């Protein structure tokens, strides 16, 4: 995995709001409308955080009608874990 991809991935973990989003997604897929309600943030703020999470590969989104539904990406989390394991084994 290249350094740019890893930097984007760990940037995703570097914000309290994004960590809270990940905690909410631990129980499974959530509609953006539900995330907005539970986080009590504005839609533009949620969009900003979701873009960072999706661009990092940690979260994936799918559109259903007018709403986006988000979930944690097993592949993205696996990439982060493998990278940390490599660092640990140096």
């Amino acid at each position: 995995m290249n350094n740019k991809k890893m930097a984007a991935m760990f940037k995703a973990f570097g914000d309290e709001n994004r960590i809270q989003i990940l905690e909410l997604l631990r129980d499974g897929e959530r509609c953006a409308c539900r995330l907005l309600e539970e986080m009590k943030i504005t839609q533009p703020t949620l969009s900003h955080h979701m873009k960072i999470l999706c661009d990092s590969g940690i979260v994936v989104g799918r559109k259903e009608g007018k709403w986006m539904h988000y979930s944690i990406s097993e592949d993205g989390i696996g990439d982060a874990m493998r990278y940390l394991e490599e660092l640990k084994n140096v």
Side-chain angles (χ1 to χ4, degrees):
M1 184 168 299
N2 67 43
N3 291 345
K4 187 173 186 174
K5 171 98 171 138
M6 290 313 306
M9 189 170 287
F10 286 97
K11 175 183 180 179
F13 292 118
D15 181 88
E16 187 176 328
N17 286 316
R18 290 191 289 272
I19 296 297
Q20 185 179 358
I21 291 167
L22 291 171
E23 289 291 323
L24 292 170
L25 294 177
R26 284 178 64 189
D27 295 330
E29 184 180 78
R30 297 263 178 129
C31 176
C33 60
R34 297 290 172 242
L35 293 172
L36 280 170
E37 290 172 3
E38 294 185 47
M39 299 226 11
K40 297 184 179 26
I41 58 176
T42 65
Q43 189 278 324
T45 300
L46 178 65
S47 291
H48 167 76
H49 290 302
M50 296 316 296
K51 178 170 178 21
I52 291 170
L53 286 165
C54 288
D55 287 351
S56 75
I58 297 295
V59 169
V60 292
R62 67 174 184 85
K63 190 166 179 112
E64 186 177 302
K66 67 176 186 168
W67 292 105
M68 285 297 293
H69 296 261
Y70 297 101
S71 59
I72 292 175
S73 166
E74 287 185 35
D75 291 339
I77 294 297
D79 288 343
M81 291 173 64
R82 278 188 292 284
Y83 181 73
L84 290 172
E85 280 296 320
E86 288 174 18
L87 286 177
K88 183 179 96 174
N89 293 327
V90 171

Coordinates of all heavy atoms in Angstrom, one line a residue:
M1 N 0.9 -1.2 0.0 CA 0.0 0.0 0.0 C 0.9 1.2 0.0 O 1.9 1.3 0.7 CB -0.9 0.0 1.2 CG -1.9 1.1 1.3 SD -3.2 0.9 2.5 CE -3.9 -0.6 1.9
N2 N 0.5 2.2 -0.8 CA 1.4 3.4 -0.9 C 1.2 4.4 0.3 O 0.1 4.3 1.0 CB 1.2 4.1 -2.3 CG -0.1 4.7 -2.4 OD1 -0.7 5.4 -1.6 ND2 -0.7 4.6 -3.6
N3 N 2.1 5.3 0.4 CA 2.1 6.2 1.6 C 0.9 7.2 1.5 O 0.3 7.5 2.5 CB 3.4 7.0 1.6 CG 4.6 6.1 2.0 OD1 4.4 5.0 2.5 ND2 5.8 6.6 1.8
K4 N 0.5 7.6 0.3 CA -0.6 8.5 0.1 C -1.9 7.9 0.6 O -2.7 8.5 1.3 CB -0.7 9.0 -1.3 CG -1.7 10.1 -1.5 CD -1.6 10.6 -3.0 CE -2.6 11.8 -3.1 NZ -2.5 12.4 -4.4
K5 N -2.1 6.6 0.2 CA -3.3 5.9 0.6 C -3.3 5.7 2.2 O -4.4 5.9 2.8 CB -3.3 4.5 -0.1 CG -4.4 3.6 0.4 CD -5.6 3.7 -0.4 CE -6.6 2.5 0.0 NZ -7.9 2.9 0.0
M6 N -2.2 5.4 2.7 CA -2.1 5.2 4.2 C -2.4 6.5 4.9 O -3.0 6.5 6.0 CB -0.8 4.6 4.6 CG -0.6 3.1 4.2 SD -2.0 2.0 4.5 CE -2.3 2.3 6.2
A7 N -1.8 7.6 4.4 CA -2.0 8.9 5.1 C -3.5 9.2 5.0 O -4.1 9.7 6.1 CB -1.2 10.0 4.4
A8 N -4.2 9.0 3.9 CA -5.6 9.3 3.8 C -6.4 8.4 4.8 O -7.4 8.9 5.5 CB -6.1 9.0 2.4
M9 N -6.0 7.1 4.9 CA -6.7 6.2 5.8 C -6.6 6.7 7.3 O -7.5 6.7 8.0 CB -6.1 4.8 5.7 CG -6.9 3.8 6.4 SD -6.4 2.1 5.9 CE -7.0 2.0 4.3
F10 N -5.4 7.0 7.7 CA -5.2 7.4 9.1 C -5.7 8.8 9.4 O -6.1 9.1 10.5 CB -3.8 7.2 9.5 CG -3.5 5.7 9.7 CD1 -2.9 5.0 8.7 CD2 -4.0 5.1 10.9 CE1 -2.7 3.6 8.9 CE2 -3.8 3.7 11.0 CZ -3.2 3.0 10.0
K11 N -5.8 9.7 8.3 CA -6.5 11.0 8.5 C -7.9 10.7 8.9 O -8.5 11.4 9.7 CB -6.4 11.8 7.2 CG -7.2 13.1 7.3 CD -7.2 13.8 6.0 CE -8.0 15.1 6.1 NZ -7.9 15.9 4.8
A12 N -8.5 9.7 8.3 CA -9.9 9.4 8.6 C -10.1 9.0 10.1 O -11.2 9.3 10.7 CB -10.4 8.2 7.7
F13 N -9.1 8.4 10.7 CA -9.2 8.1 12.1 C -8.9 9.3 13.0 O -9.0 9.2 14.3 CB -8.3 7.0 12.5 CG -8.7 5.6 11.9 CD1 -7.8 5.0 11.0 CD2 -9.9 5.0 12.2 CE1 -8.1 3.8 10.4 CE2 -10.2 3.8 11.6 CZ -9.4 3.2 10.7
G14 N -8.4 10.4 12.5 CA -7.9 11.5 13.2 C -8.9 12.6 13.6 O -8.4 13.7 13.9
D15 N -10.1 12.3 13.7 CA -11.1 13.3 14.1 C -12.2 12.7 15.0 O -12.7 11.6 14.7 CB -11.8 13.9 12.8 CG -12.8 15.0 13.1 OD1 -12.4 16.1 13.2 OD2 -14.0 14.6 13.3
E16 N -12.5 13.4 16.0 CA -13.5 12.9 17.0 C -14.9 12.6 16.3 O -15.5 11.6 16.6 CB -13.7 13.9 18.1 CG -14.5 13.5 19.2 CD -14.5 14.6 20.3 OE1 -13.5 15.3 20.5 OE2 -15.6 14.6 21.0
N17 N -15.3 13.5 15.4 CA -16.6 13.2 14.8 C -16.6 12.0 13.9 O -17.5 11.2 13.9 CB -17.0 14.4 13.9 CG -17.5 15.6 14.7 OD1 -18.3 15.4 15.7 ND2 -17.1 16.8 14.4
R18 N -15.5 11.8 13.2 CA -15.3 10.6 12.3 C -15.3 9.3 13.2 O -15.8 8.3 12.8 CB -14.2 10.7 11.4 CG -14.4 11.8 10.3 CD -13.4 11.8 9.2 NE -12.1 12.3 9.6 CZ -11.7 13.6 9.6 NH1 -12.6 14.5 9.2 NH2 -10.5 13.9 9.9
I19 N -14.6 9.4 14.3 CA -14.6 8.2 15.2 C -16.0 7.9 15.7 O -16.4 6.8 15.7 CB -13.6 8.5 16.4 CG1 -12.2 8.6 15.9 CG2 -13.8 7.4 17.4 CD1 -11.6 7.4 15.2
Q20 N -16.8 9.0 16.0 CA -18.2 8.8 16.4 C -19.0 8.1 15.3 O -19.8 7.2 15.6 CB -18.8 10.1 16.9 CG -20.2 9.9 17.4 CD -20.8 11.2 17.9 OE1 -20.2 12.3 17.8 NE2 -22.0 11.2 18.3
I21 N -18.8 8.6 14.1 CA -19.5 8.0 12.9 C -19.1 6.5 12.8 O -20.0 5.6 12.7 CB -19.1 8.7 11.6 CG1 -19.7 10.1 11.7 CG2 -19.6 7.9 10.4 CD1 -19.2 11.0 10.6
L22 N -17.9 6.2 13.0 CA -17.5 4.8 12.9 C -18.1 3.9 14.0 O -18.5 2.8 13.8 CB -15.9 4.6 12.9 CG -15.2 5.1 11.7 CD1 -13.7 5.2 11.9 CD2 -15.6 4.3 10.5
E23 N -18.2 4.5 15.2 CA -18.9 3.8 16.3 C -20.3 3.5 16.0 O -20.8 2.5 16.2 CB -18.8 4.6 17.6 CG -17.4 4.7 18.2 CD -16.9 3.4 18.7 OE1 -17.7 2.6 19.3 OE2 -15.7 3.0 18.6
L24 N -21.0 4.5 15.3 CA -22.4 4.3 15.0 C -22.5 3.2 13.9 O -23.5 2.5 13.9 CB -23.0 5.6 14.5 CG -23.2 6.7 15.6 CD1 -23.6 8.0 14.9 CD2 -24.2 6.3 16.6
L25 N -21.6 3.2 13.0 CA -21.6 2.2 11.9 C -21.2 0.8 12.3 O -21.4 -0.2 11.6 CB -20.7 2.6 10.7 CG -21.2 3.9 10.0 CD1 -20.2 4.3 9.0 CD2 -22.6 3.8 9.4
R26 N -20.7 0.6 13.5 CA -20.3 -0.7 14.0 C -21.5 -1.6 14.1 O -21.3 -2.8 13.9 CB -19.7 -0.6 15.4 CG -18.3 -0.1 15.4 CD -17.8 0.1 16.8 NE -17.7 -1.3 17.4 CZ -17.4 -1.4 18.7 NH1 -17.2 -0.4 19.5 NH2 -17.3 -2.7 19.2
D27 N -22.7 -1.1 14.3 CA -23.9 -1.9 14.4 C -24.4 -2.3 13.0 O -25.4 -3.0 12.9 CB -25.0 -1.3 15.2 CG -24.5 -1.1 16.6 OD1 -23.8 -1.9 17.1 OD2 -25.0 -0.1 17.3
G28 N -23.8 -1.8 11.9 CA -24.3 -2.0 10.6 C -24.6 -0.8 9.8 O -24.4 0.3 10.3
E29 N -25.1 -1.0 8.6 CA -25.3 0.1 7.7 C -26.3 1.2 8.3 O -27.3 0.8 9.0 CB -25.9 -0.4 6.4 CG -26.1 0.6 5.3 CD -26.7 0.0 4.1 OE1 -27.9 -0.3 4.0 OE2 -25.9 -0.2 3.1
R30 N -26.0 2.4 8.0 CA -26.9 3.5 8.5 C -27.2 4.5 7.3 O -26.3 4.8 6.6 CB -26.3 4.3 9.6 CG -26.0 3.5 10.9 CD -27.1 3.7 11.9 NE -26.9 2.9 13.0 CZ -26.9 3.4 14.3 NH1 -27.2 4.6 14.5 NH2 -26.6 2.6 15.3
C31 N -28.4 5.0 7.3 CA -28.7 6.0 6.4 C -28.1 7.3 6.9 O -28.0 7.6 8.1 CB -30.3 6.1 6.3 SG -30.9 7.5 5.3
A32 N -27.7 8.2 5.9 CA -27.2 9.5 6.3 C -28.2 10.3 7.2 O -27.8 11.0 8.1 CB -26.8 10.3 5.1
C33 N -29.5 10.1 7.0 CA -30.5 10.8 7.8 C -30.4 10.4 9.2 O -30.5 11.2 10.1 CB -31.9 10.6 7.2 SG -32.4 8.9 7.1
R34 N -30.1 9.1 9.5 CA -30.0 8.6 10.9 C -28.7 9.1 11.5 O -28.7 9.4 12.7 CB -30.1 7.1 10.9 CG -31.4 6.5 10.4 CD -32.5 6.8 11.4 NE -33.7 6.4 10.8 CZ -34.8 7.2 10.5 NH1 -34.7 8.5 10.8 NH2 -35.9 6.7 10.0
L35 N -27.7 9.1 10.7 CA -26.4 9.7 11.3 C -26.6 11.1 11.7 O -26.1 11.5 12.7 CB -25.3 9.5 10.2 CG -24.8 8.1 9.9 CD1 -23.9 8.1 8.8 CD2 -24.2 7.4 11.1
L36 N -27.3 11.9 10.8 CA -27.5 13.3 11.1 C -28.3 13.4 12.5 O -27.9 14.3 13.3 CB -28.3 14.0 10.0 CG -27.6 14.4 8.8 CD1 -28.5 14.8 7.7 CD2 -26.6 15.5 9.1
E37 N -29.3 12.6 12.6 CA -30.1 12.7 13.9 C -29.3 12.3 15.1 O -29.3 13.0 16.1 CB -31.3 11.7 13.8 CG -32.3 12.1 12.8 CD -33.4 11.1 12.6 OE1 -33.3 10.0 13.3 OE2 -34.3 11.3 11.8
E38 N -28.5 11.3 15.0 CA -27.7 10.8 16.1 C -26.5 11.7 16.5 O -26.2 11.8 17.6 CB -27.3 9.4 15.9 CG -28.5 8.4 15.9 CD -28.1 7.0 15.8 OE1 -27.2 6.6 16.5 OE2 -28.7 6.3 14.9
M39 N -26.0 12.3 15.5 CA -24.8 13.1 15.7 C -25.1 14.6 16.0 O -24.3 15.3 16.6 CB -23.8 13.1 14.5 CG -23.4 11.7 14.2 SD -21.7 11.4 13.9 CE -20.8 12.8 14.2
K40 N -26.3 15.0 15.6 CA -26.7 16.4 15.9 C -25.7 17.4 15.2 O -25.2 18.3 15.9 CB -26.9 16.7 17.3 CG -28.0 15.8 17.9 CD -28.2 16.2 19.4 CE -29.3 15.4 20.0 NZ -29.7 14.1 19.6
I41 N -25.3 17.1 14.0 CA -24.5 18.0 13.2 C -25.3 18.4 11.9 O -26.3 17.8 11.6 CB -23.1 17.4 12.8 CG1 -23.4 16.1 12.0 CG2 -22.3 17.1 14.1 CD1 -22.1 15.4 11.5
T42 N -24.7 19.4 11.2 CA -25.4 19.8 10.0 C -25.1 18.8 8.8 O -24.1 18.1 8.9 CB -25.0 21.2 9.6 OG1 -23.6 21.2 9.2 CG2 -25.2 22.2 10.7
Q43 N -25.9 18.9 7.8 CA -25.7 18.0 6.6 C -24.4 18.3 5.9 O -23.7 17.4 5.6 CB -26.9 18.2 5.7 CG -26.9 17.2 4.5 CD -26.0 17.6 3.4 OE1 -25.9 18.8 3.1 NE2 -25.4 16.6 2.7
P44 N -24.0 19.6 5.7 CA -22.7 19.8 5.1 C -21.5 19.3 5.9 O -20.5 18.8 5.4 CB -22.6 21.3 5.0 CG -24.0 21.8 5.0 CD -24.7 20.8 5.9
T45 N -21.6 19.3 7.3 CA -20.6 18.8 8.1 C -20.5 17.3 8.0 O -19.4 16.7 7.9 CB -20.8 19.2 9.6 OG1 -20.8 20.6 9.7 CG2 -19.7 18.6 10.5
L46 N -21.7 16.6 8.0 CA -21.7 15.2 7.8 C -21.1 14.8 6.4 O -20.3 13.9 6.3 CB -23.1 14.6 7.9 CG -23.2 13.1 7.7 CD1 -22.5 12.3 8.8 CD2 -24.7 12.6 7.6
S47 N -21.5 15.5 5.4 CA -20.9 15.3 4.0 C -19.4 15.4 4.0 O -18.8 14.5 3.4 CB -21.6 16.2 3.0 OG -22.9 15.9 2.8
H48 N -18.9 16.4 4.7 CA -17.4 16.5 4.7 C -16.8 15.3 5.4 O -15.8 14.8 4.8 CB -17.1 17.8 5.5 CG -15.7 17.9 5.9 ND1 -14.7 18.3 5.1 CD2 -15.1 17.7 7.1 CE1 -13.5 18.3 5.7 NE2 -13.7 17.9 6.9
H49 N -17.3 14.9 6.5 CA -16.7 13.7 7.2 C -16.9 12.4 6.4 O -16.0 11.6 6.3 CB -17.3 13.6 8.6 CG -16.8 14.7 9.5 ND1 -15.5 15.0 9.8 CD2 -17.6 15.6 10.2 CE1 -15.4 16.0 10.6 NE2 -16.6 16.4 10.9
M50 N -18.0 12.3 5.8 CA -18.3 11.1 5.0 C -17.4 11.0 3.8 O -16.9 9.9 3.4 CB -19.8 10.9 4.6 CG -20.7 10.8 5.8 SD -20.2 9.7 7.1 CE -20.2 8.1 6.2
K51 N -17.1 12.1 3.2 CA -16.2 12.1 2.0 C -14.8 11.7 2.4 O -14.2 10.8 1.8 CB -16.1 13.5 1.4 CG -15.1 13.6 0.2 CD -15.2 14.9 -0.5 CE -14.2 15.0 -1.6 NZ -13.6 13.9 -2.2
I52 N -14.3 12.2 3.6 CA -13.0 11.7 4.1 C -13.0 10.2 4.4 O -12.1 9.5 4.0 CB -12.6 12.6 5.3 CG1 -12.3 14.0 4.8 CG2 -11.4 12.0 6.0 CD1 -12.1 15.0 6.0
L53 N -14.0 9.8 5.0 CA -14.1 8.3 5.4 C -14.2 7.5 4.1 O -13.6 6.4 4.1 CB -15.3 8.1 6.3 CG -15.1 8.6 7.8 CD1 -16.5 8.6 8.5 CD2 -14.2 7.7 8.5
C54 N -15.0 7.9 3.2 CA -15.2 7.1 1.9 C -13.9 7.2 1.1 O -13.5 6.1 0.5 CB -16.4 7.6 1.2 SG -18.0 7.1 1.9
D55 N -13.3 8.3 1.0 CA -12.1 8.4 0.2 C -11.0 7.6 0.8 O -10.1 7.1 0.0 CB -11.6 9.9 0.1 CG -12.5 10.7 -0.8 OD1 -13.4 10.2 -1.6 OD2 -12.3 12.0 -0.9
S56 N -11.0 7.4 2.1 CA -9.9 6.6 2.7 C -10.1 5.1 2.5 O -9.2 4.3 2.7 CB -9.9 6.9 4.2 OG -11.0 6.2 4.9
G57 N -11.3 4.7 2.1 CA -11.6 3.3 2.0 C -12.1 2.6 3.2 O -12.5 1.5 3.2
I58 N -12.2 3.4 4.3 CA -12.7 2.8 5.6 C -14.2 2.6 5.6 O -14.8 1.7 6.2 CB -12.3 3.7 6.8 CG1 -10.8 3.8 6.9 CG2 -12.9 3.3 8.1 CD1 -10.1 2.5 7.2
V59 N -14.9 3.5 4.9 CA -16.4 3.4 4.8 C -16.8 3.4 3.3 O -16.1 4.0 2.5 CB -17.0 4.7 5.5 CG1 -18.5 4.8 5.2 CG2 -16.8 4.6 7.0
V60 N -17.9 2.7 3.0 CA -18.4 2.6 1.7 C -19.9 3.2 1.8 O -20.5 3.0 2.8 CB -18.4 1.2 1.1 CG1 -17.0 0.8 0.8 CG2 -19.1 0.2 1.9
G61 N -20.3 3.8 0.7 CA -21.6 4.3 0.6 C -22.4 3.8 -0.6 O -21.8 3.4 -1.6
R62 N -23.7 3.7 -0.5 CA -24.5 3.3 -1.6 C -25.8 4.2 -1.6 O -26.3 4.5 -0.5 CB -24.9 1.8 -1.6 CG -25.8 1.4 -0.4 CD -26.3 0.0 -0.5 NE -27.2 -0.3 0.6 CZ -28.5 0.0 0.5 NH1 -29.1 0.5 -0.6 NH2 -29.3 -0.2 1.6
K63 N -26.2 4.6 -2.8 CA -27.3 5.5 -2.9 C -28.6 4.6 -3.0 O -28.6 3.7 -3.8 CB -27.1 6.4 -4.1 CG -28.1 7.5 -4.1 CD -27.7 8.6 -5.1 CE -28.7 9.7 -5.1 NZ -28.3 10.9 -4.6
E64 N -29.6 5.0 -2.3 CA -30.9 4.4 -2.4 C -31.9 5.5 -2.5 O -32.2 6.2 -1.4 CB -31.2 3.5 -1.2 CG -32.5 2.7 -1.4 CD -32.7 1.7 -0.2 OE1 -31.8 0.8 0.0 OE2 -33.7 1.8 0.4
G65 N -32.5 5.8 -3.6 CA -33.4 6.9 -3.8 C -32.6 8.2 -3.6 O -31.6 8.4 -4.2
K66 N -33.1 9.1 -2.7 CA -32.3 10.3 -2.5 C -31.3 10.2 -1.3 O -30.6 11.1 -1.0 CB -33.3 11.5 -2.3 CG -34.1 11.4 -1.0 CD -34.9 12.6 -0.8 CE -35.6 12.6 0.6 NZ -36.2 13.9 0.9
W67 N -31.3 9.1 -0.6 CA -30.5 8.9 0.6 C -29.2 8.1 0.3 O -29.3 7.1 -0.5 CB -31.3 8.3 1.7 CG -32.3 9.3 2.2 CD1 -33.7 9.2 2.0 CD2 -32.1 10.4 3.0 NE1 -34.3 10.2 2.6 CE2 -33.4 11.0 3.2 CE3 -31.0 11.1 3.5 CZ2 -33.6 12.2 3.9 CZ3 -31.2 12.3 4.2 CH2 -32.4 12.8 4.4
M68 N -28.2 8.4 1.0 CA -27.0 7.6 1.0 C -27.0 6.7 2.3 O -27.4 7.1 3.3 CB -25.7 8.5 1.1 CG -25.4 9.2 -0.2 SD -25.0 8.0 -1.6 CE -23.5 7.3 -1.0
H69 N -26.6 5.5 2.1 CA -26.4 4.5 3.2 C -25.0 4.2 3.3 O -24.3 3.9 2.3 CB -27.3 3.3 2.9 CG -28.7 3.6 2.8 ND1 -29.6 3.4 3.9 CD2 -29.5 4.1 1.9 CE1 -30.8 3.7 3.6 NE2 -30.8 4.2 2.3
Y70 N -24.5 4.2 4.5 CA -23.0 4.0 4.7 C -22.8 2.8 5.6 O -23.6 2.5 6.5 CB -22.4 5.2 5.4 CG -22.5 6.5 4.6 CD1 -23.5 7.4 4.8 CD2 -21.6 6.7 3.5 CE1 -23.5 8.6 4.0 CE2 -21.6 7.8 2.7 CZ -22.6 8.7 3.0 OH -22.6 9.9 2.2
S71 N -21.7 2.1 5.4 CA -21.2 1.0 6.2 C -19.7 1.0 6.2 O -19.0 1.5 5.4 CB -21.8 -0.3 5.7 OG -21.4 -0.5 4.4
I72 N -19.2 0.3 7.2 CA -17.8 0.1 7.4 C -17.3 -0.9 6.3 O -18.0 -1.9 6.1 CB -17.4 -0.4 8.8 CG1 -17.7 0.8 9.8 CG2 -15.9 -0.8 8.8 CD1 -17.4 0.4 11.2
S73 N -16.2 -0.6 5.7 CA -15.6 -1.5 4.6 C -14.7 -2.5 5.3 O -13.7 -2.1 5.9 CB -14.9 -0.7 3.6 OG -14.1 -1.5 2.8
E74 N -15.0 -3.8 5.2 CA -14.2 -4.8 5.7 C -12.8 -4.7 5.1 O -11.8 -4.9 5.7 CB -14.8 -6.2 5.5 CG -15.9 -6.4 6.5 CD -16.5 -7.8 6.4 OE1 -15.7 -8.8 6.2 OE2 -17.7 -8.0 6.5
D75 N -12.8 -4.5 3.8 CA -11.5 -4.4 3.0 C -10.6 -3.2 3.6 O -9.4 -3.4 3.8 CB -11.7 -4.2 1.5 CG -12.3 -5.5 0.9 OD1 -12.1 -6.6 1.5 OD2 -12.8 -5.4 -0.2
G76 N -11.3 -2.1 3.8 CA -10.6 -0.9 4.2 C -10.0 -1.1 5.6 O -8.9 -0.8 5.9
I77 N -10.8 -1.7 6.5 CA -10.3 -1.9 7.9 C -9.2 -3.0 7.8 O -8.2 -2.9 8.5 CB -11.5 -2.4 8.8 CG1 -12.5 -1.3 9.0 CG2 -11.0 -2.9 10.1 CD1 -12.0 -0.1 9.7
G78 N -9.4 -4.0 7.0 CA -8.3 -5.0 6.8 C -7.0 -4.4 6.4 O -5.9 -4.7 6.8
D79 N -7.1 -3.4 5.4 CA -5.8 -2.7 5.0 C -5.2 -2.0 6.1 O -3.9 -2.1 6.3 CB -6.2 -1.7 3.8 CG -6.5 -2.4 2.5 OD1 -6.2 -3.6 2.4 OD2 -7.1 -1.7 1.7
A80 N -5.9 -1.3 6.9 CA -5.4 -0.5 8.0 C -4.7 -1.5 9.0 O -3.6 -1.3 9.5 CB -6.5 0.3 8.7
M81 N -5.4 -2.6 9.3 CA -4.9 -3.6 10.3 C -3.6 -4.2 9.7 O -2.6 -4.4 10.5 CB -5.9 -4.6 10.6 CG -7.1 -4.0 11.4 SD -8.4 -5.2 11.6 CE -7.7 -6.4 12.6
R82 N -3.5 -4.5 8.5 CA -2.3 -5.1 7.9 C -1.2 -4.2 8.0 O 0.0 -4.6 8.3 CB -2.6 -5.6 6.4 CG -3.3 -6.9 6.3 CD -3.3 -7.4 4.9 NE -4.2 -6.6 4.1 CZ -5.5 -6.7 4.1 NH1 -6.1 -7.5 4.9 NH2 -6.3 -5.9 3.3
Y83 N -1.4 -2.9 7.7 CA -0.4 -1.9 7.8 C 0.2 -1.8 9.2 O 1.4 -1.7 9.4 CB -0.9 -0.5 7.3 CG 0.2 0.5 7.3 CD1 1.2 0.5 6.4 CD2 0.2 1.5 8.3 CE1 2.2 1.5 6.4 CE2 1.2 2.5 8.3 CZ 2.2 2.4 7.4 OH 3.2 3.4 7.4
L84 N -0.7 -1.7 10.2 CA -0.3 -1.7 11.6 C 0.5 -2.9 12.0 O 1.5 -2.8 12.7 CB -1.5 -1.4 12.5 CG -2.1 -0.1 12.4 CD1 -3.4 0.0 13.2 CD2 -1.2 1.0 12.8
E85 N 0.1 -4.1 11.5 CA 0.8 -5.3 11.8 C 2.2 -5.2 11.2 O 3.2 -5.7 11.8 CB 0.1 -6.5 11.2 CG -1.0 -7.0 12.1 CD -0.6 -7.5 13.4 OE1 0.4 -8.2 13.5 OE2 -1.3 -7.2 14.4
E86 N 2.3 -4.7 10.0 CA 3.7 -4.6 9.3 C 4.6 -3.7 10.2 O 5.7 -3.9 10.4 CB 3.5 -4.0 7.9 CG 3.0 -5.0 6.9 CD 2.7 -4.3 5.6 OE1 3.3 -3.3 5.3 OE2 2.0 -4.9 4.8
L87 N 4.0 -2.6 10.7 CA 4.8 -1.6 11.5 C 5.2 -2.3 12.8 O 6.3 -2.1 13.3 CB 4.0 -0.4 11.8 CG 3.8 0.6 10.7 CD1 2.9 1.8 11.2 CD2 5.1 1.2 10.2
K88 N 4.3 -3.1 13.4 CA 4.6 -3.8 14.6 C 5.7 -4.8 14.5 O 6.5 -5.0 15.4 CB 3.3 -4.5 15.1 CG 3.5 -5.2 16.5 CD 2.2 -5.8 16.9 CE 2.2 -7.2 16.5 NZ 1.1 -8.0 16.9
N89 N 5.8 -5.4 13.3 CA 6.8 -6.5 13.1 C 8.1 -5.9 12.5 O 9.0 -6.7 12.2 CB 6.2 -7.5 12.1 CG 5.1 -8.2 12.7 OD1 5.0 -8.5 13.9 ND2 4.1 -8.6 11.9
V90 N 8.3 -4.6 12.5 CA 9.6 -4.1 12.0 C 10.6 -4.3 13.1 O 10.5 -4.2 14.2 CB 9.4 -2.6 11.7 CG1 10.8 -2.0 11.4 CG2 8.5 -2.4 10.5

